[in-house]
């Protein structure tokens, strides 16, 4: 009886894996195709090029690269020009409150991200501070103390949502930590694909000092970044690390001595973003999706996700352009198609 049941159990497991791969590839669009034995309608390359539609109430269309979209003085959005075209910089600018998350800043970040995820010309996003010595000090506690208890939960949910939106951007994201990143500030950085820091930067999830816990994804993303045991130690102790200590535990990828201008981490982030620009735009988006989704499942399912994602690059014009450029010994001219 047990032997007879085994094939059915295996079939159910395989069906479950197909459903999981399908869910993982959902961001590819409604016409994605699983390769091999995992079949379905094919994703057209235009789906990736179009991206998702902007949310209602999102930012108006930008005026062009190099223009600064002034959502508010608390957030500056810059589309870089010339050799940096495709790089977008989100600059937090709440000097009077150490760049802490206010209701207005959260709203502005959400609108900015809505605009970015539907803009196919965006290739990399850098999150930085416009305030020397500060990245983001977390929630605005002066604003928080005025809230009724019934308001706190919904507001934290909004912070968590905007941080998740940044994590779900389809293009590479880099956090440039040139100063203090505490609580929600570090959670914002953890949502980015890559973190770079000045050696003088300070960072930590310090919420337990206030008898609460990280509420913007910190309890989930920190263990995934540095391991469960060390993440527990840092959260339990509310310990603050400098840039060198953060690099030693794997919290940041690069650490640099701070310069006179106070923007060493930002300059390194810009260098990394420039390295990403020549690569195929569709490939970059699909690679990020494959890595992100694959890390949340077992290896067998992860490899199926990779196979499904790889299949989406095959019919693209960019892939053919890459082969032609290799043959002609020139730099490729990718269009994200």
């Amino acid at each position: 009886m047990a032997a007879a049941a085994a094939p059915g159990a295996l079939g159910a497991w395989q069906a479950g894996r197909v459903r999981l791969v399908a869910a993982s590839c959902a961001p590819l669009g409604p016409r994605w195709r699983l390769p091999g034995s995992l079949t379905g309608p094919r994703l057209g390359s235009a789906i990736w090029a179009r991206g998702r539609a902007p949310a209602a109430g999102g930012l108006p269309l930008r005026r062009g690269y190099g223009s600064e979209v002034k959502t508010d003085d608390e957030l500056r959005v810059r589309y870089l020009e010339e050799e940096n075209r495709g790089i977008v910089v989100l600059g937090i600018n709440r000097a009077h409150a150490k760049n802490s998350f206010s209701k207005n800043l959260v709203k502005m970040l959400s609108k900015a991200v809505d605009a970015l995820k539907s803009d196919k010309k965006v290739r990399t996003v850098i999150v930085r501070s416009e305030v020397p010595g500060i990245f983001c000090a977390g929630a605005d506690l002066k604003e928080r103390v005025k809230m009724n208890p019934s308001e706190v939960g919904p507001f934290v949910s909004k912070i968590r949502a905007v941080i998740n939106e940044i994590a779900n951007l389809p293009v590479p994201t880099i956090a440039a930590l040139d100063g203090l990143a505490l609580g929600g500030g570090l959670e914002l950085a953890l949502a980015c694909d890559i973190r770079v820091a000045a050696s003088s930067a300070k960072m930590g999830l310090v919420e337990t000092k206030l008898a609460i816990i990280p509420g913007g994804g910190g309890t989930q993303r920190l263990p995934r970044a540095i391991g469960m045991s060390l993440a527990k130690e840092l959260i339990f102790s509310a310990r603050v690390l400098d840039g060198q200590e953060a690099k030693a535990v794997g919290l940041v990828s690069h650490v640099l001595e701070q310069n006179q201008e106070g923007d060493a981490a930002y300059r390194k982030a810009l260098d990394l973003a420039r390295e990403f620009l020549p690569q195929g735009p569709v490939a970059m988006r699909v690679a990020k999706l494959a890595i992100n989704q694959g890390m949340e499942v077992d290896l067998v399912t992860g490899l199926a996700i990779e196979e499904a994602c790889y299949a989406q690059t095959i019919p693209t014009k960019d892939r053919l352009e890459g082969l032609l450029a290799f043959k002609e010994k020139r730099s490729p001219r990718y269009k994200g198609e």
Side-chain angles (χ1 to χ4, degrees):
M1 182 69 72
L10 179 60
W13 178 83
Q14 289 176 328
R17 184 163 67 89
V18 170
R19 287 193 297 271
L20 184 55
V21 174
S24 299
C25 294
L28 293 173
R31 297 176 56 214
W32 62 270
R33 175 176 60 88
L34 291 173
S37 62
L38 305 175
T39 59
R42 189 170 71 183
L43 167 75
S45 59
I47 298 294
W48 269 104
R50 286 198 299 269
R52 285 176 280 185
L59 287 175
L61 292 176
R62 58 181 177 78
R63 291 165 292 175
Y65 280 78
S67 65
E68 186 171 290
V69 180
K70 292 189 176 180
T71 59
D72 192 278
D73 283 342
E74 293 188 354
L75 182 67
R76 296 174 180 172
V77 184
R78 289 185 295 127
Y79 293 79
L80 304 190
E81 273 282 11
E82 298 176 353
E83 72 273 10
N84 296 322
R85 185 181 295 270
I87 301 172
V88 179
V89 180
L90 298 181
I92 306 173
N93 186 45
R94 293 194 76 220
H96 67 282
K98 296 185 178 180
N99 282 354
S100 57
F101 285 117
S102 64
K103 291 179 180 179
N104 186 57
L105 178 58
V106 170
K107 180 181 178 181
M108 294 303 103
L109 274 170
S110 182
K111 287 184 177 181
V113 174
D114 278 341
L116 292 175
K117 65 189 178 186
S118 62
D119 188 344
K120 68 178 183 179
K121 293 183 180 179
V122 175
R123 303 287 297 278
T124 298
V125 176
I126 298 174
V127 183
R128 67 167 302 196
S129 167
E130 302 282 341
V131 180
I134 299 290
F135 177 72
C136 174
D140 188 336
L141 297 183
K142 290 183 179 179
E143 186 179 79
R144 178 76 58 85
V145 77
K146 299 175 184 177
M147 293 182 185
N148 294 323
S150 61
E151 296 178 287
V152 174
F155 179 61
V156 173
S157 293
K158 289 180 180 179
I159 295 177
R160 185 185 304 115
V162 76
I163 289 175
N164 286 342
E165 288 169 10
I166 290 170
N168 290 330
L169 279 171
V171 297
T173 54
I174 308 171
L177 306 176
D178 276 306
L180 193 69
L182 299 179
L186 181 54
E187 289 175 306
L188 173 61
L190 283 166
C192 295
D193 299 312
I194 299 165
R195 290 165 294 283
V196 297
S199 57
S200 58
K202 303 290 184 182
M203 63 201 80
L205 296 179
V206 297
E207 286 87 348
T208 51
K209 283 187 176 181
L210 298 173
I212 56 175
I213 70 170
T219 64
Q220 303 306 305
R221 291 193 177 95
L222 186 62
R224 284 167 168 79
I226 66 173
M228 184 187 298
S229 180
L230 187 52
K232 287 178 177 178
E233 180 181 330
L234 295 181
I235 291 173
F236 294 166
S237 64
R239 188 180 306 157
V240 175
L241 307 179
D242 63 25
Q244 293 288 357
E245 292 169 328
K247 174 68 165 61
V249 301
L251 182 53
V252 302
S253 300
H254 303 274
V255 62
L256 308 98
E257 290 298 320
Q258 190 56 281
N259 57 27
Q260 277 191 324
E261 293 78 12
D263 64 352
Y266 170 65
R267 293 190 183 200
K268 178 62 178 180
L270 199 55
D271 287 343
L272 290 173
R274 290 184 184 123
E275 283 190 62
F276 302 161
L277 285 179
Q279 321 314 328
V282 176
M284 294 290 280
R285 292 178 177 226
V286 178
K288 177 172 177 174
L289 179 67
I291 296 168
N292 285 356
Q293 299 294 342
M295 287 299 292
E296 302 301 322
V297 298
D298 62 89
L299 179 60
V300 173
T301 306
L303 291 171
I305 291 171
E306 179 186 79
E307 184 181 4
C309 288
Y310 186 95
Q312 310 318 316
T313 66
I314 295 175
T316 64
K317 294 178 181 178
D318 279 354
R319 186 184 73 88
L320 299 179
E321 166 62 16
L323 292 173
L324 185 62
F326 177 79
K327 179 181 178 181
E328 297 176 353
K329 298 181 180 180
R330 61 171 173 81
S331 297
R333 295 182 288 270
Y334 295 126
K335 297 181 180 179
E337 301 175 350

